[in-house]
Amino acid sequence: MRKYENRTARFPSAARRLSSQRQDARLEDEIDAHIELLTLDNLRAGMDPAEARRQAALRFGKPSSTREACRDQRGLPHLEAFLKDLRHASRALRKTPGFSVAVVLTLAVAAGANTALFSLVDQALFHPRGIDHPERIVSIREHYGKLLNLSDLGATSGPAFADVRNERGLFEHAAALTSDYFTYTGGSKPEHLEGARVSSEWFAVLGARPMLGRTFAAEEDQPNAERVAVLSYGTWTKLFGRDRSVIGRRIELDLQPYRVIGVMGPGIEAIGPSDLWVPLALAPADIAPQERFHQHLFTLARLRPHVTEQQVDNWLRLRAAQVLASNVPGAKETAALDWYMFSKPYTDTMVGDTRTPMLLLLAAVGMILLIATANVAGLMLARNAARLHELAVQVALGAGRGRLLSRLAAESLLLSLLGALAGLALAAGGMRAVLLWAPKDAVPGLDARFDVFTLAFTAAAIAAASIFFGILPAWLASATPPVDAMRAGTRTVSGRQRLRSCLVVGEAALAMVLIVAAGALLKSFLRLEAVSPGFDTRGVMTAAVSFPAAQYSSAEKQAAFYRAVLGSLPAPSAFASSVPFQGGINAGGFEIEGRPEDEGSPRHTDVRFVSPGYFEALHIPLRHGRFFASSDHAGAQGVAIIDENVARQYWPGGDPVGKLIRPNGASVWFNVIGVAGHVLQADLALDSGRGTIYYDLYQFPQPLPVSVMVTHARVEAIRQAVAAANPAESIFDVQSLRARVAGSLASRQFLLRMMSFFAATALFLAALGLYGVISYSVSQRTREIGVRMALGARSASVYGMVVAEGLRLAGAGCVLGLAGAAGLARMLESQLFHVQAFDVATVAAAVAILLAVAVAASFWPARRAAAIEPMAALRCE
Amino acid sequence: MATALRAAWSRRAGAPSISNHGTLYPVLMKLEQESAIASEWGVSENNRRARFYRITKVGRKQLLAEKRQWEETTRIMGQFFALGEEI
């Protein structure tokens, strides 16, 4: 024994675990002996045996408490006890499957939705894939304050890029990109690739390293250097079957040989077109001063450590001021346009307009979490309040407060764990669903990656709430003397019922906020869908064709191709330099013959080159004059068509037809032959108001790199026509015009869908909470209702009484919710089109929905109440 | 054991009486875990089986330390109250 105890001292934990049972036995022995001795003392004091034993037992106290306390003292068995609690909890939860499923489901929905959304937003806003330290990357932009809708050009000129590249004090790396199309002709059929020309430091700016080979060296980024290419992971997989020997191989792009020098890993697809990259190879002429206001490069820069965006912006402003003060061509005119350069954080650049919707959705999903927490808290409160009697009995039988709390905490913990696990599964599925719903170009490069931290946080928040509300009743139960609790029966729960009612009112309020938001978004979306873009999308198919410079050296060759294709397609069909809702801006200034430009109000319009048949194909109305005709060929007098906005702006009250105009920098004049209707270019919600000047495509002196076809023919017919005109050509970006217009609404539609989903979830959870409270209150008032009915209350009035309770709670929620909705309105406003965030009709509809759901949720408990047998109710406890 | 303990206590004047003997055991167990006391089964003065606890060397050291600390505390408190009387 002694030896054993020495060992106990040296290896306490192991020995203790081994001896746990023996110690229990010893303690029993000792307690028995102790009581025996006390009894003996009492006997000697002259008591009769029965009394002596009773007094001894009183003196010793509850042996169960002693056992409990000793076990606690031993330490390790805490865990053992807790495991036992968990087992007990799982038994108890299995006994009430309805409750358990409700709680787990609620938790799963909240945890799943939160994890999915937070993970995605985190990726999009803070940790984009494949980018090293995105917070140190900025894009360089240019701004024209005085030109309609050009406050952020999104591009820079060659000289601006050169400025940034040469400023080594602020920037560690700087690089520029311009997108380009390539036709790969090494396979069985020509393959269209969307690639980019990038300067040599492009990958260094992003902090992305190649998976195979290397990226561009500075001397490869020169005009007339050897042609080299870096492939994306996707292209490497698709065209070369992940053949590692592709490095060093010569491939043919646009009929030119290129040497493959590297393959990038997956992940940086997010930034611009990225099937493959070739060097930008800017020539000295591209960064010459006369290029200063020709913005065509997407410029990124990586800041040196400790350089702030403020420093960068200050430097850019200073540089812009220097440019305007210099004698750079165009500086004088540009100075009047409030032109300057600025920087934009990388994630803002990539995420763009999606930031507000994302934050809105985060707010919404956060509300779901709140509602779920309130719901679970309410359910736990009700469950454990109903078990007050049982708990009181356990206290009376000697259960310590700690043990009781531990047992209830185990239940809460088990539920939270199950909820979190189910939430994990839901989040995985949910993220895929969100990505499926999300507009493709809204946030490129997202994948269903988990943020485990978010899940842990969500689960912990819910667990904390459920444990708190789970053990609150136990705490109260163990604080009141068991006899009172038992005697009081069910009357002590009114306080907790009030707390539950408050929780439900809160849930209803949050649901109300979400319904109002979803309603406003829906109304706005319907209004947007009804907006006419100024042309008719019905039956119009669009498809792009790219023209490698090597094959199309002159405008004549390109014109021949156009004629061949259009000749085999039904009229009206046309080619254009771009179509509405395709993205991108092509805008510029123009001169009017005999009318010098006013300083301070520059002439500025969108510019589009279209072949005859374009207006007819899109059903753009002719206001005055005529459309392009086949007689307007390359050799004929140059002609232009302006839209009504240009006409109104520059010839107010006059007739523009017959007037001569020319684009800035052009040498020949173009005769205005017609005025067409104004069309929206990119956004149904926002008309920049900027007009468009159309020139005849056949009169454009240089071949275009890409043009887009508009026709009513089927896709197969288009393909055949193109292949017949030139077998090496293929079409890409094939979309109906309707799809392009709908695509511009995609992010709004996504926000609407998500918000509606969250509103519906919130409504459902709130209804569940309401149902729980009302149903519990009915069961508590069985006796009271029985008395009322015995005294002649009709079942209709019982219905009314119960439903009124539900309506009262929901009504309070509505009032609170209105205040909340007013708070959300400001954030929502920017996402709405011609709808007030606090639209009266929407709010009224939301109130009606919430109240209707409240009636439905309290209807079943009401039916149960009305079915109460007065006699049975009076007889029950 | 109960009698032995009671005897030891009652030898000192003003020793508190334990209203609930059961509460002693967790304390004894704690002390035993700290190796401050050791115990074994034995036979009581009136021939009953009982468990006997005795203080160990470690326990004695601990007791001394506690005693010193207690004396220090009472000394400080004494001075404090004396100060109060002066004012």
Side-chain angles (χ1 to χ4, degrees), chain A residues 2 5 9 16 26-27 29-30 33-34 36-38 40-41 44 59-61 66 69-70 73-74, chain B residues 1-3 6 18-22 25-26 29-30 32-33 35 39 41 46 48-51 53-54:
Chain A
R2 168 147 304 197
E5 286 192 357
R16 240 182 272 149
R26 193 192 102 179
L27 188 68
D29 248 10
E30 224 173 318
H34 194 128
E36 190 75 9
L37 284 175
L38 284 174
L40 212 66
D41 281 357
R44 266 193 291 181
R59 187 97 207 191
F60 189 85
T66 302
C70 284
Q73 181 53 46
R74 252 184 260 147
Chain B
M1 121 100 228
T3 38
R6 204 182 35 185
I18 318 163
S19 65
N20 194 334
H21 286 205
Y25 284 92
M29 184 162 282
K30 178 172 182 289
E32 202 168 4
Q33 271 173 14
S35 304
S39 68
W41 287 106
N46 38 25
R48 293 285 173 155
R49 207 166 78 97
R51 198 164 175 90
Y53 288 81
R54 58 179 177 71

Side-chain angles (χ1 to χ4, degrees), chain A residues 481-500:
Chain A
V483 186
D484 288 358
M486 275 192 274
R487 193 180 305 132
T490 52
R491 255 170 289 150
T492 53
V493 295
S494 66
R496 253 147 276 151
Q497 180 70 359
R498 240 193 324 274
L499 181 54
R500 276 195 78 191

Side-chain angles (χ1 to χ4, degrees), chain A residues 634-666:
Chain A
Q637 158 71 41
V639 288
I641 292 173
I642 61 175
D643 79 1
E644 53 201 343
N645 282 23
V646 178
R648 203 178 316 117
Q649 200 175 347
Y650 300 106
W651 288 274
D655 184 3
V657 171
K659 301 290 189 297
L660 292 179
I661 60 171
R662 68 179 175 196
N664 281 349

Side-chain angles (χ1 to χ4, degrees), chain A residues 436-747:
Chain A
L436 220 63
W437 270 0
K440 288 210 174 33
D441 51 348
V443 184
L446 288 189
D447 57 0
R449 221 172 1 132
F450 259 136
D451 186 12
V452 177
F453 174 77
T454 309
L455 182 74
F457 171 79
T458 312
I462 295 177
S466 61
I467 288 177
F468 177 70
F469 286 103
I471 66 179
L472 192 64
W475 184 265
L476 297 174
S478 58
T480 40
V483 186
D484 288 358
M486 275 192 274
R487 193 180 305 132
T490 52
R491 255 170 289 150
T492 53
V493 295
S494 66
R496 253 147 276 151
Q497 180 70 359
R498 240 193 324 274
L499 181 54
R500 276 195 78 191
S501 300
C502 287
L503 287 173
V504 164
V505 168
E507 288 177 42
L510 289 171
M512 174 80 184
V513 172
L514 291 179
I515 296 170
V516 168
L521 286 172
L522 177 67
K523 198 166 175 185
S524 151
F525 189 80
L526 293 178
R527 291 217 167 141
L528 267 175
E529 273 196 326
V531 168
S532 164
F535 52 85
D536 191 351
T537 60
R538 269 177 302 174
V540 179
M541 186 54 73
T542 67
V545 181
S546 71
F547 301 98
Q551 282 189 67
Y552 296 89
S553 51
S554 70
E556 286 79 41
K557 282 190 183 166
Q558 200 169 30
F561 174 81
Y562 291 151
R563 289 209 174 85
V565 173
L566 295 178
S568 52
L569 289 176
S573 296
F575 274 97
S577 55
S578 67
V579 293
F581 293 85
Q582 190 189 351
I585 302 168
N586 187 12
F590 67 100
E591 294 173 58
I592 301 173
E593 194 201 29
R595 270 169 58 184
E597 199 169 33
D598 296 339
E599 208 158 297
S601 66
R603 297 183 186 128
H604 198 261
T605 66
D606 281 339
V607 178
R608 179 163 288 155
F609 302 94
V610 303
S611 72
Y614 176 84
F615 297 95
E616 293 87 339
L618 294 188
H619 293 284
I620 297 174
L622 180 68
R623 300 282 184 233
H624 189 40
R626 69 169 176 93
F627 283 143
F628 295 132
S630 56
S631 56
D632 302 316
H633 48 80
Q637 158 71 41
V639 288
I641 292 173
I642 61 175
D643 79 1
E644 53 201 343
N645 282 23
V646 178
R648 203 178 316 117
Q649 200 175 347
Y650 300 106
W651 288 274
D655 184 3
V657 171
K659 301 290 189 297
L660 292 179
I661 60 171
R662 68 179 175 196
N664 281 349
S667 54
V668 295
W669 292 97
F670 291 81
N671 188 13
V672 176
I673 56 166
V675 178
H678 177 65
V679 300
L680 298 180
Q681 296 297 346
D683 192 346
L684 290 177
L686 181 76
D687 184 2
S688 68
R690 196 165 60 230
T692 306
I693 298 181
Y694 300 90
Y695 296 99
D696 192 303
L697 187 62
Y698 289 119
Q699 294 183 332
F700 191 67
Q702 268 134 33
L704 292 174
V706 180
S707 50
V708 184
M709 188 185 328
V710 289
T711 175
H712 289 260
R714 290 170 174 282
V715 177
E716 222 17 74
I718 301 174
R719 241 184 260 284
Q720 281 168 9
V722 167
N726 181 352
E729 284 289 6
S730 64
I731 54 173
F732 64 94
D733 196 14
V734 184
Q735 277 189 61
S736 71
L737 193 56
R738 185 194 293 272
R740 285 189 194 274
V741 175
S744 76
L745 292 180
S747 73

Side-chain angles (χ1 to χ4, degrees), chain A residues 220-236:
Chain A
E220 282 163 337
D221 185 22
Q222 302 289 341
N224 305 320
E226 186 200 7
R227 291 195 180 87
V228 289
V230 171
L231 303 180
S232 74
Y233 186 80
T235 306
W236 182 52

